[in-house]
């Protein structure tokens, strides 16, 4: 009994710590979103618009994944239709961020390697089309996975109350393998795109001189950081398989590993976007700083 109480206390402690991280990251992202809407140049420039898409995507995904984490840890039962809605939105936005990062990498490639075509290819109209393409591509894995689920599951299972997790939508083992294969295919294409852009930008950086060289190397570092963020997102896809294997061995080990994975591969990649653009971009950083200082002055 004492061991169970201690274990429950430790779990509560971990959940509370995660809430602190989630609230902190959400506050930072909301401040950055407010900064984005404060100047016309931000919502008329492709790279800033795509940055805002990643911020909104991360906010929504963090919020929903946190709800799922709480439901899972405390074994709350909810109706299947509600779990389905949460799953559809979280499944969509788990892909939106990495696909948008790939689009941001291509925008940097066009800006540095094809500067004469940048205004044409990265116009506000093209940006809107790009956002629609990003969401369409991100929704395909979810559509395929849920089509198989609805074809395989009985009608009564859609109205049952259960603990909400992605595992309840996997009826056959091959569904999990198919889901993983689709995700790996997406990330392979994204990785190839980023490596291609990195190599092309590096060639331009070596040939450039003066201010152009400085700007190009800055773009190169940004692409490198995108690659790191995508790597963390890719590792996140392998986590369920590791956790499923550990669950068969030891429950406490499974809980500890899932906790570590959540912080390292779900929370961490979602706070890299503010670091990359919110702090490294001079115009955005100065606007953010001015907005934050104005808020502090008003409080005083």
């Amino acid at each position: 009994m004492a061991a169970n109480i201690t274990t429950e206390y430790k779990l509560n402690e971990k959940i509370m710590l995660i809430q602190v991280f989630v609230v902190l990251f959400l506050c930072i992202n909301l401040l950055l979103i407010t900064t984005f809407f404060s100047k016309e140049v931000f919502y008329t420039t492709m790279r800033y618009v795509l940055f805002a898409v990643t911020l909104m995507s991360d906010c929504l995904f963090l919020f929903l994944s946190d709800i799922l984490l709480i439901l899972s840890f405390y074994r709350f039962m909810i109706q299947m239709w509600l779990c389905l809605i949460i799953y559809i939105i979280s499944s969509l936005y788990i892909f939106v961020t990495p696909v948008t990062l790939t689009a941001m990498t291509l925008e940097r490639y066009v800006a540095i390697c094809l500067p004469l075509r940048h205004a044409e290819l990265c116009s506000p109209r093209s940006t809107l089309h790009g956002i629609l393409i990003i969401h369409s591509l991100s929704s395909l894995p979810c559509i395929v996975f849920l089509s198989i689920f609805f074809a395989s599951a009985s009608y009564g299972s859609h109205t049952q109350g259960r603990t909400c997790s992605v595992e309840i939508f996997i009826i056959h083992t091959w569904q999990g393998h198919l889901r993983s294969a689709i995700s790996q295919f997406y990330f392979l294409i994204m990785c190839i795109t980023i490596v291609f852009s990195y190599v092309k930008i590096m060639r331009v950086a070596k040939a450039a001189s003066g201010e152009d060289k400085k700007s190009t190397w800055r773009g190169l570092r940004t692409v490198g950081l995108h690659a790191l963020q995508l790597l963390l997102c890719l590792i996140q896809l392998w986590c369920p398989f590791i956790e499923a294997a550990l669950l068969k061995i030891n429950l406490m080990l499974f809980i500890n590993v899932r906790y570590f994975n959540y912080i390292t591969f779900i929370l961490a990649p979602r706070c890299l976007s503010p670091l990359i653009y919110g702090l490294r971009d001079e115009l955005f950083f100065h606007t953010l700083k001015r907005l934050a200082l104005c808020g502090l002055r008003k409080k005083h």
Side-chain angles (χ1 to χ4, degrees):
M1 180 66 76
N4 288 338
I5 292 170
T6 304
T7 302
E8 190 175 336
Y9 176 77
K10 285 180 179 178
L11 287 178
N12 288 335
E13 213 174 40
K14 287 178 177 179
I15 290 292
M16 288 307 295
L17 183 60
I18 284 177
Q19 301 317 301
V20 172
F21 281 127
V22 169
V23 170
L24 178 64
F25 295 150
L26 285 176
C27 287
I28 292 170
N29 282 6
L30 288 172
L31 178 61
L32 292 170
I33 290 168
T34 305
T35 306
F36 168 76
F37 285 107
S38 68
K39 272 194 174 185
E40 188 181 352
V41 66
F42 295 142
Y43 50 83
T44 55
T45 306
M46 179 179 264
R47 75 173 185 272
Y48 293 118
V49 174
L50 292 177
F51 172 50
V53 169
T54 65
L55 289 173
M56 292 173 191
S57 167
D58 289 345
C59 284
L60 194 53
F61 181 76
L62 279 176
F63 178 70
L64 290 175
S65 66
D66 189 44
I67 289 173
L68 287 174
L69 184 75
I70 292 168
L71 291 173
S72 175
F73 266 115
Y74 294 109
R75 299 183 182 276
F76 286 120
M77 306 284 280
I78 64 171
Q79 287 294 312
M80 191 70 167
W81 63 267
L82 181 57
C83 181
L84 189 62
I85 292 169
I86 294 172
Y87 170 74
I88 288 170
I89 299 171
S90 60
S91 179
L92 170 65
Y93 284 98
I94 200 172
F95 278 96
V96 165
T97 293
V99 173
T100 307
L101 284 172
T102 308
M104 291 167 81
T105 300
L106 287 173
E107 187 276 332
R108 286 294 83 199
Y109 162 73
V110 171
I112 292 167
C113 300
L114 305 168
L116 297 178
R117 298 201 63 195
H118 185 261
E120 176 196 344
L121 296 174
C122 301
S123 65
R125 187 188 176 107
S126 300
T127 303
L128 181 60
H129 291 162
I131 292 169
L132 291 173
I133 292 168
I134 286 166
H135 282 78
S136 299
L137 289 173
S138 301
S139 65
L140 283 176
C142 181
I143 290 169
V144 171
F145 190 69
L146 287 180
S147 299
I148 296 168
F149 168 73
F150 283 121
S152 306
S154 61
Y155 175 76
S157 66
H158 301 163
T159 57
Q160 292 173 359
R162 301 181 66 175
T163 304
C164 190
S165 67
V166 67
E167 285 78 16
I168 66 174
F169 298 105
I170 300 174
I171 298 170
H172 307 292
T173 307
W174 61 266
Q175 285 176 265
H177 296 319
L178 176 65
R179 177 171 169 263
S180 175
I182 292 170
S183 300
Q184 301 295 345
F185 173 74
Y186 265 65
F187 278 89
L188 177 64
I189 297 299
M190 287 184 253
C191 288
I192 289 170
T193 304
I194 284 183
V195 169
F196 167 80
S197 301
Y198 190 89
V199 170
K200 290 287 184 180
I201 293 171
M202 185 178 282
R203 285 179 182 172
V204 174
K206 286 180 179 178
S209 60
E211 286 298 315
D212 287 339
K213 195 177 188 72
K214 187 180 177 182
S215 175
T216 306
W217 280 106
R218 193 185 299 118
L220 197 63
R221 285 195 296 272
T222 301
V223 173
L225 286 168
H226 285 335
L228 172 62
Q229 193 173 5
L230 269 180
L231 177 63
L232 291 173
C233 291
L234 178 61
I235 294 171
Q236 178 191 332
L237 296 174
W238 299 331
C239 292
F241 297 100
I242 298 168
E243 290 166 9
L246 292 174
L247 183 59
K248 296 174 184 177
I249 302 169
N250 186 287
L251 178 62
M252 205 57 218
L253 180 62
F254 161 78
I255 290 169
N256 288 332
V257 170
R258 172 166 276 194
Y259 175 76
F260 172 80
N261 288 344
Y262 185 81
I263 290 177
T264 310
F265 304 120
I266 293 179
L267 289 185
R270 264 76 197 175
C271 64
L272 273 177
S273 285
L275 178 66
I276 293 170
Y277 275 93
L279 301 180
R280 290 182 72 247
D281 187 280
E282 288 182 21
L283 178 59
F284 200 91
F285 176 70
H286 288 311
T287 309
L288 172 65
K289 188 178 176 182
R290 190 161 52 249
L291 193 70
L293 289 174
C294 286
L296 288 172
R297 282 170 190 165
K298 283 179 183 178
K299 286 182 181 179
H300 290 300

